[in-house]
Amino acid sequence: MTRPSILLRLSALASFAACSSATAIDEAAAAMANHIISIKRLNEIYTSEVSADFGDSEKLWATNTLWQWKKILGEISSAIRYSNYHSYLGCYNETGLSGNQRRQVLDNLFTPYDGKIFISERTVINIDQRSCYLMSAELGVFRECLESAPQNVIEHFELQPAGPSMKMLEGFYDAIERRLLGEDVDVSTDTGTITITQDEEMVIDLTFCPVINYLIGDLTKPEVTFKSLAREATDFMVDYSGKHVKDRDFFYQAYNNSLTDEKPPRMKQWHDVVVNVTSRTDDQGYNRCLNYTIQESMVLTQTTGGMAEVSFPRDETVGREDEECIFYLVRAMANHPYLCRMDLKGKVKTNDDDEDKKEGSGAPWSKGASGASAFVSVAAGLALNILF
């Protein structure tokens, strides 16, 4: 056999192996996508930007869900910690059980995966039909877990990879846009409607996923601290002109690679934010938004009571490029697997008493009891407070 023919044979074998691997991932992703939480069902669980972003298209939502699972199952873990985890909304919907009994089923299901699957202690929603929780897991672990689970458990388990649209409170995009345009923002809360005026700080509450508590509390890894995770999150947003953000963003990938014929307006808006910001990197590799506003001007300061603050100069949040930078920051954070929810918060005047000011939060994102492991607040270009 001649050398060229050997090379051709090796090439053919490599192609066959790659094709077989891709087919296996496609099949596994399709199986996991069967546990999808539909837009209609999701809207019953908590408020989000899913309907606004996806135009209530269950078909596009299913395409997104399948893509998310292919991404999760196809990624190769690396030394970069955030590439080893993903965030989810998980629900158990067996009727006839109490919330505590449904939680016990999930605890029993996840026990063999201690240190690999993480679940919030409190429910996102707990009603007669289902109990839902925020979850984190190492890549591929849920596939292994469900392949070995009893059928009577699997058929009641719903699992949705958490993309950016799920993580943002309903009305979040419009509120940020109006705030940057200099308008007052009305926000609905569980106590009524409140107004965030232009002369008051507006912040964004971030609910981090359960894996954060594990990473910081792991005594065998003293090198993992709040500062190291914050640095890691910053690297995720800025490294290689936003490569990590682009890789994980369905709207960016769908618009660029024609993954679907459906292109709702929000898909283009978010796509354009990512493209416009990351394309401003000059020949020397410098990008004002990424390297200055996010990497240099975003100052992280740990304060008392387990709090921290990141500050941005007020005079830097002007102009179209700076507005896009804030939206990019929001989108990049929402793509990070450590983050599960984003919500508005600020010092506001209530409608009932204009003289009194109090800390108010955005619309309650949960339709039931809320639950989370850690909370973060970030001003839209002003300040970031983090609680662990």
Side-chain angles (χ1 to χ4, degrees), residues 208-225:
F208 276 90
C209 302
V211 68
I212 285 291
N213 279 351
Y214 170 78
L215 292 175
I216 292 182
D218 188 353
L219 298 180
T220 66
K221 297 183 175 65
E223 73 280 5
V224 180
T225 63

Side-chain angles (χ1 to χ4, degrees), residues 138-366:
E138 290 184 3
L139 303 179
V141 171
F142 268 125
R143 174 191 177 188
E144 178 184 344
C145 173
L146 296 184
E147 283 180 344
S148 59
Q151 183 60 38
N152 65 323
V153 171
I154 294 175
E155 64 187 17
H156 295 294
F157 188 56
E158 302 164 311
L159 187 66
Q160 184 66 42
S165 303
M166 284 178 62
K167 299 177 182 182
M168 297 181 189
L169 178 74
E170 183 180 7
F172 186 90
Y173 183 100
D174 290 338
I176 297 295
E177 186 171 54
R178 289 174 53 203
R179 182 65 167 81
L180 292 174
L181 289 173
E183 300 178 11
D184 294 347
V185 178
D186 292 331
V187 181
S188 297
T189 73
D190 51 356
T191 58
T193 301
I194 57 178
T195 300
I196 303 174
T197 62
Q198 187 61 25
D199 60 343
E200 295 171 312
E201 283 192 354
M202 181 185 71
V203 298
I204 300 169
D205 280 346
L206 308 179
T207 302
F208 276 90
C209 302
V211 68
I212 285 291
N213 279 351
Y214 170 78
L215 292 175
I216 292 182
D218 188 353
L219 298 180
T220 66
K221 297 183 175 65
E223 73 280 5
V224 180
T225 63
F226 164 75
K227 287 186 177 180
S228 71
L229 293 177
R231 185 166 54 250
E232 196 175 276
T234 301
D235 292 344
F236 173 87
M237 291 187 279
V238 306
D239 278 0
Y240 309 107
S241 293
K243 178 182 183 299
H244 302 306
V245 176
K246 295 174 185 176
D247 285 347
R248 285 181 176 267
D249 195 285
F250 171 71
F251 278 179
Y252 177 87
Q253 294 293 332
Y255 201 86
N256 274 13
N257 299 313
S258 301
L259 301 182
T260 173
D261 293 332
E262 295 186 68
K263 291 182 171 61
R266 280 285 182 82
M267 178 186 288
K268 185 177 189 305
Q269 289 171 331
W270 282 120
H271 166 271
D272 288 353
V273 162
V274 174
V275 169
N276 292 344
V277 168
T278 58
S279 66
R280 295 186 182 116
T281 303
D282 63 24
D283 294 339
Q284 285 72 46
Y286 181 79
N287 184 299
R288 182 173 180 272
C289 175
L290 304 182
N291 302 117
Y292 178 71
T293 304
I294 296 177
Q295 201 167 41
E296 296 179 21
S297 298
M298 192 173 68
V299 180
L300 175 65
T301 306
Q302 197 163 8
T303 58
T304 59
M307 298 292 293
E309 181 177 281
V310 175
S311 301
F312 296 84
R314 281 180 180 269
D315 60 358
E316 293 300 331
T317 58
V318 295
R320 180 58 185 168
E321 288 189 15
D322 299 298
E323 291 175 6
E324 286 187 327
C325 184
I326 297 305
F327 275 109
Y328 174 83
L329 172 66
V330 167
R331 188 69 177 181
M333 284 184 171
N335 269 290
H336 198 289
Y338 293 165
L339 176 66
C340 275
R341 291 294 290 179
M342 308 180 80
D343 189 4
L344 291 178
K345 182 179 180 179
K347 287 187 175 182
V348 300
K349 294 180 180 180
T350 66
N351 290 346
D352 296 332
D353 189 351
D354 288 340
E355 298 302 319
D356 295 332
K357 290 186 178 182
K358 68 177 183 178
E359 289 292 328
S361 62
W365 53 266
S366 170

Side-chain angles (χ1 to χ4, degrees), residues 47-183:
T47 66
S48 74
E49 287 282 72
V50 170
S51 286
D53 284 358
F54 285 82
D56 280 326
S57 171
E58 297 288 1
K59 180 182 177 182
L60 182 59
W61 182 241
T63 301
N64 159 73
T65 301
L66 183 60
W67 181 86
Q68 293 277 0
W69 278 115
K70 287 181 180 179
K71 184 70 177 172
I72 291 167
L73 298 176
E75 281 189 345
I76 299 175
S77 297
S78 69
I80 303 175
R81 186 169 290 103
Y82 57 70
S83 69
N84 294 336
Y85 297 96
H86 201 83
S87 50
Y88 306 85
L89 176 68
C91 302
Y92 193 70
N93 62 17
E94 184 175 357
T95 57
L97 299 182
S98 66
N100 287 337
Q101 289 172 323
R102 285 193 288 263
R103 175 58 186 247
Q104 189 60 55
V105 172
L106 293 177
D107 286 344
N108 292 341
L109 181 64
F110 300 153
T111 293
Y113 304 94
D114 184 43
K116 295 183 176 181
I117 295 178
F118 312 93
I119 180 171
S120 58
E121 292 188 8
R122 291 184 294 167
T123 57
V124 171
I125 190 170
N126 187 28
I127 56 178
D128 290 342
Q129 294 80 19
R130 61 180 33 81
S131 299
C132 299
Y133 299 85
L134 303 179
M135 299 182 182
S136 304
E138 290 184 3
L139 303 179
V141 171
F142 268 125
R143 174 191 177 188
E144 178 184 344
C145 173
L146 296 184
E147 283 180 344
S148 59
Q151 183 60 38
N152 65 323
V153 171
I154 294 175
E155 64 187 17
H156 295 294
F157 188 56
E158 302 164 311
L159 187 66
Q160 184 66 42
S165 303
M166 284 178 62
K167 299 177 182 182
M168 297 181 189
L169 178 74
E170 183 180 7
F172 186 90
Y173 183 100
D174 290 338
I176 297 295
E177 186 171 54
R178 289 174 53 203
R179 182 65 167 81
L180 292 174
L181 289 173
E183 300 178 11

